[in-house]
Amino acid sequence: MEGLGYMKDLVKLLIDANRAYYEQNIEAISNREYDKLYDELLQLEEETGVRLAGSPTRKVGYEVVSGLKKAAHDTPMLSLDKTKEVEALVAFLKEHEGLLSWKLDGLTIVLRYDGGKLVRALTRGNGHIGEDVTHNARVFTNVPIVVPHKGKFDLRGEAVISIKDFDEINEGGEYKNPRNLCSGAVRQLSSEVAAQRRVQFFAFGLMAPDISFEKKSEQIEWLDSQGFDTAIFAKVSARNVTDAVAGFKARIVYSDLMSDGLVLTYDDIAYSESLGATSKFPRDSIAFKWADELTRTTLLDVEWNTSRTGLVNPVAIFEPVEIEGSVVSRASLHNVSILRGLGLRKGDRISVYKANMIIPQVAENLSLHEERPFPCLPPKNCPVCGGATEIVGEPETLYCTSPSCPAQRVRGLSHFVSRDALNIAGLSEQTLEKFAARGLVTDFTDLFSLEKHREEIIQMEGFGEKSYENLIRSIEAAKDVKLPNFIYALGIRHVGLANAKLLCEHFANAREIATNCACENFMDILTEIKGFGEAISISLHEYFSREENRQRFDRALEILRISSPTPQSRNRPLEGLTFVITGDTTRFKNRKELQNHIESMGGRVTGSVTAKTSFLINNDAHSPSSKNKKAAALNVPVITESDFFAKFF
């Protein structure tokens, strides 16, 4: 459509100008020029009938949902058969023409439009049932929320985060790759996160249109005319597909989008539909995967960097080598589990490669079985503040435990406002980081006096009068909080929401909790609580024994309206039982709802199967999942939701 490409350029130019002005204090273009371009964009949107979600002319109202609902796909989302051999592509095409395009490494989404408006967005899910992420799709930077065509149609595409945006967001190294960051953003309950992470969408297939096409290339061109960014493709035959693959490979070095290969599909729609599908793959398409170029080098050291969330990341430093046309000398190892698995020591010979031909990775330790001293171990102290570090979770991840660490501060604030804690909408990690950088918040009690900074906040990018007022209302509403949620919000090590509930059932109020946890005979008192052992008791004592923590705690009690749980006299049939939940749920909306039900009946829910687990709940009781295997090894019964109700209710 005439003017559409220029309109997209205008959107990008104005967004970049806003970002430079509000985040870097740089006036990239004059106010007069900005206003002129803004008016021009507004006129083009009226003329084309297309309005992009990321357009500066659109006033964004972020949406928060209570949970991701699930819905069935009208057409199953099957995986593609794969090959690493170009000859297989030649054989696939035979005498037919095809379309060769990037296989973008992101999250597959199905969008639905009706009456010219975006009405639904589903993730791929398990291929049959996806999660409803419509609230997030509406803030993707380049998704049209209004299109000229007023009929009903579905399209498939890939949600991605560009490498440039990933590098900016992932400055601390806490995210493994753009795909992981994108997946987390798209599946957030708050659309503000997806907006801040600059998720883009590239269409690659049209489904169930109310207009007919003979070729898939015609469908792509039609999607272009409706305002969608589409995956770059080339028309190919058996004669030139080898050259086309080489051309794509040469361009990937300059691409700002992650690609793990190419997709080849027949151009003729009738022929494609006549082929049908196997139980796993459609017969009209095949994926071509890049072969990794492994290069050997020598490990010089492992550095540890503390990110803004308190995560301490290992980075391999090695002798410089050339891979895929550029020289690299470092690669993120992501977490402690990967470091342990590689068994790295200084001086080891290692093989490295570029994941998707872009991001450096360590593939293998070639010296693993040699007798070498001094393994690269996680540091006991944070490289930023010197505070103690702690390994948590699975995979094992290293965190700084010091609440005064500048890097740790944002992580603590983010936890405090999370859904199971104070549940303050509008305070994403990125927003909290901006507030902390400006000195607006130093600890969680400062969140309740943000009205003092009204003028400064409404001038920040992403904020305005309405956003500020919504935030203040959300903070005011959060002052009414249940005691277990407040205790959980404090971020005390080993004290999840389930343990916080047990603690609050044992003591009458918040001050009684603080007093008993800080007293000298705390161990005798706390270990009386069923499920509390030495580690939890010591962690609680350490927290409430620190003067700065008690001061913040006391200030919070003056600000918040905390309700304590009433003694539960009703029957608690699950008392003393520990459950692990995995897989999809059927009777409950999600696993969290089932967890709340179990805990309300006196049971306990943990994240991993151990010898102390009473039951693993999995509706696919015979699946080969790692948790099912662990349960079988430990003789832990695996039951479905139906079994659960039949057994206990």
Side-chain angles (χ1 to χ4, degrees), residues 97-296:
E97 290 187 341
L99 298 181
L100 187 68
S101 63
W102 294 117
K103 185 177 184 296
L104 296 178
D105 194 15
L107 192 70
T108 302
I109 304 287
V110 179
L111 303 182
R112 171 166 294 172
Y113 287 79
D114 197 356
K117 295 180 180 180
L118 172 64
V119 296
R120 193 179 79 168
L122 292 183
T123 65
R124 180 184 183 277
N126 63 7
H128 297 279
I129 297 175
E131 292 173 310
D132 191 321
V133 292
T134 310
H135 65 299
N136 286 329
R138 290 195 176 109
V139 297
F140 290 176
T141 62
N142 63 338
V143 162
I145 55 172
V146 177
V147 296
H149 185 68
K150 304 308 177 187
K152 183 177 180 180
F153 64 95
D154 291 359
L155 70 148
R156 294 178 180 177
E158 201 79 356
V160 297
I161 292 177
S162 73
I163 297 170
K164 178 178 178 292
D165 288 337
F166 173 74
D167 289 341
E168 289 181 7
I169 297 169
N170 197 44
E171 186 177 356
E174 60 265 42
Y175 303 106
K176 186 174 182 180
N177 53 48
R179 186 190 187 283
N180 285 8
L181 179 62
C182 180
S183 178
V186 171
R187 300 179 71 252
Q188 289 283 332
L189 298 179
S190 170
S191 63
E192 184 178 6
V193 178
Q196 291 175 336
R197 291 183 180 174
R198 309 166 203 166
V199 179
Q200 303 177 58
F201 178 84
F202 291 88
F204 58 71
L206 182 62
M207 302 179 298
D210 55 2
I211 53 178
S212 61
F213 299 92
E214 293 183 359
K215 304 288 185 181
K216 293 177 185 176
S217 53
E218 295 173 355
Q219 292 183 338
I220 299 296
E221 291 167 359
W222 182 81
L223 288 170
D224 284 331
S225 74
Q226 297 298 304
F228 296 96
D229 285 332
T230 54
I232 296 174
F233 69 88
K235 291 186 178 181
V236 295
S237 65
R239 295 187 302 277
N240 66 358
V241 67
T242 301
D243 291 337
V245 170
F248 274 99
K249 185 174 182 179
R251 293 202 300 273
I252 196 171
V253 179
Y254 308 101
S255 175
D256 196 33
L257 300 176
M258 291 287 287
S259 166
D260 56 354
L262 304 169
V263 173
L264 178 62
T265 185
Y266 297 117
D267 192 19
D268 187 280
I269 294 175
Y271 180 69
S272 289
E273 291 176 347
S274 72
L275 297 175
T278 69
S279 59
K280 294 183 179 180
F281 311 119
R283 291 192 174 95
D284 71 331
S285 302
I286 187 172
F288 174 79
K289 304 284 285 186
W290 304 120
D292 296 325
E293 180 184 316
L294 294 174
T295 304
R296 296 187 176 192

Side-chain angles (χ1 to χ4, degrees), residues 517 522-523 525-527 532-542:
C517 289
F522 72 95
M523 190 67 77
I525 297 172
L526 295 179
T527 51
F532 273 38
E534 183 177 336
I536 298 175
S537 302
I538 291 175
S539 184
L540 284 163
H541 178 68
E542 287 179 347

Side-chain angles (χ1 to χ4, degrees), residues 74-104:
D74 291 347
T75 304
M77 299 278 287
L78 301 178
S79 301
L80 296 181
D81 199 3
K82 300 175 181 64
T83 182
K84 289 189 176 182
E85 305 298 329
V86 178
E87 292 76 12
L89 304 184
V90 176
F92 175 85
L93 284 170
K94 297 179 182 176
E95 72 280 6
H96 300 282
E97 290 187 341
L99 298 181
L100 187 68
S101 63
W102 294 117
K103 185 177 184 296
L104 296 178

